[in-house]
Amino acid sequence: MFNPQQFRLQFPYFRDTQAVTYLDSAATALKPQALIDATLDFYQSSGSVHRSQYDEKQTALYEQARHRVRTLLNAESDNAVIWTSGTTQAINTVANGLLAHIKAGDEIIISEADHHANFVTWTETAKKCGAKLHILPIGDDWLIDKSALLARLNPKTKVVALNFVSNVTGTQQPIEELITLIRRHSQALVLVDAAQAISHLAIDVQKIDADFIAFSAHKLYGPNGIGVLSGKLKALEMLEPLNFGGKMVARVDKTAISFAELPYRLEAGTPNIAGVIGFNAVLEWLQQYDIAQMEQHAVALAQQVKNRLKTYAQCRLFDSPQPSSVVCFLFEHIHCADLATLMAEQHIALRSGVHCAQPYLARLGRSATLRLSFAPYNLQQDVENFFVALDSSLALLRE
Ligand SMILES: Cc1ncc(COP(=O)(O)O)c(C=O)c1O
């Protein structure tokens, strides 16, 4: 059975008894000791990876991380795991890599559920290619409108880029069902933005049948500056490299250049070795925990907060149709930034603003919301700290 106290002890952040109550894990997760130890070990060693005879140890850890990600996602092979700097770069790698395949008059589909990493990237890509961009609406349950998707799919649809779990409301899209629909009615390549999903769900990329999937390690207790692009080898092989340089080539002479095989073809230059090796340690450490049980704990805390917030006058909740560890809310007639500032003064870390998802906020009809995001290391005491600070902030603002 998952023990949140034991889990919390793995995070040095909580050794500081004055630590801010951290309720912003959807932005970035706290870091476990396992990551810090592995990173320190790396920086106390020497060398690069895949460069010299003496860098065998680093190279083995680096490739072990790739294998762990393959297992995490049930990807086709280790070669279908490409290191990027994060979700944003992974999506840009796909969009840039497909430029030659998308012609004027082709169509690209995104939705109102998207983070800017997906929304802006495909909007700009459509402009560059002269492709038509369709933005699917989301319903009052924040789910992508399936009939709108059906109406948009046709032989010209080249890419459908979907959000899996929303960073705004925590809403989970029925990704498998959506991809089945897409396959039935088009030949489109499907990209899944799993930046949030990766820390909440067990993902099987082959089962959901995605061509591309992207996530960032920092949302899964890993280091900043490292992320993953994975998917089907056949789809990844279609991508023109975003970056050119060392280690992504097979042969270079003055008249001709040939590229290396996947994954190296898409990983030019010296990689973020510390990031990958640190993430390797995180993935190994995570194996002892059951993701469903961890999620259940975080969701229970969030649900309790939602129930309590419902008793507050003028509190508006934007709840997801499924249980979620995200609480998206605001108080009518109180600026979110004002409330967040008072909460920060009382050592509560929460998020206020547009959450890098302005089309989503427009759909909610709001210029900002507040967001709490619970993680398995949060405890009941964090909930109590939040409400003590909330009550005193509201009292001040309503004076
Ligand atoms: C749903 C979603 N997509 C994409 C991103 C972008 O991730 P990154 O900034 O790590 O590239 C985020 C980050 O908050 C996100 O929540």
Side-chain angles (χ1 to χ4, degrees), residues 20 107 177 188 200 340 353 374:
V20 164
E107 301 184 12
E177 207 184 312
H200 300 293
F374 286 87

Side-chain angles (χ1 to χ4, degrees), residues 91 108-111 114 118 122 144 159-163 182 189-193:
I91 297 173
I108 296 173
I109 299 178
I110 55 173
S111 88
D114 286 322
N118 202 49
W122 291 106
I144 291 172
V159 176
V160 184
L162 298 170
N163 172 265
I182 296 165
L189 290 163
V190 181
L191 177 141
V192 173
D193 172 357

Side-chain angles (χ1 to χ4, degrees), residues 140-156:
D140 291 339
D141 50 7
W142 325 129
L143 293 174
I144 291 172
D145 182 334
K146 279 185 214 132
S147 53
L149 171 63
L150 260 180
R152 291 301 182 199
L153 291 169
N154 67 61
K156 287 186 177 168

Side-chain angles (χ1 to χ4, degrees), residues 110-115 119 135-139 144 357 359-361 363:
I110 55 173
S111 88
E112 288 177 328
D114 286 322
H115 185 281
F119 194 97
I135 303 163
L136 301 177
I138 50 176
I144 291 172
Y360 208 126
L361 270 282
R363 173 65 183 80

Side-chain angles (χ1 to χ4, degrees), residues 26 86-88 115 117 163 165 167 193 195-196 216 218-219:
T87 308
T88 305
H115 185 281
N163 172 265
V165 173
N167 60 310
D193 172 357
Q196 294 294 329
S216 306
H218 71 94
K219 311 259 191 205

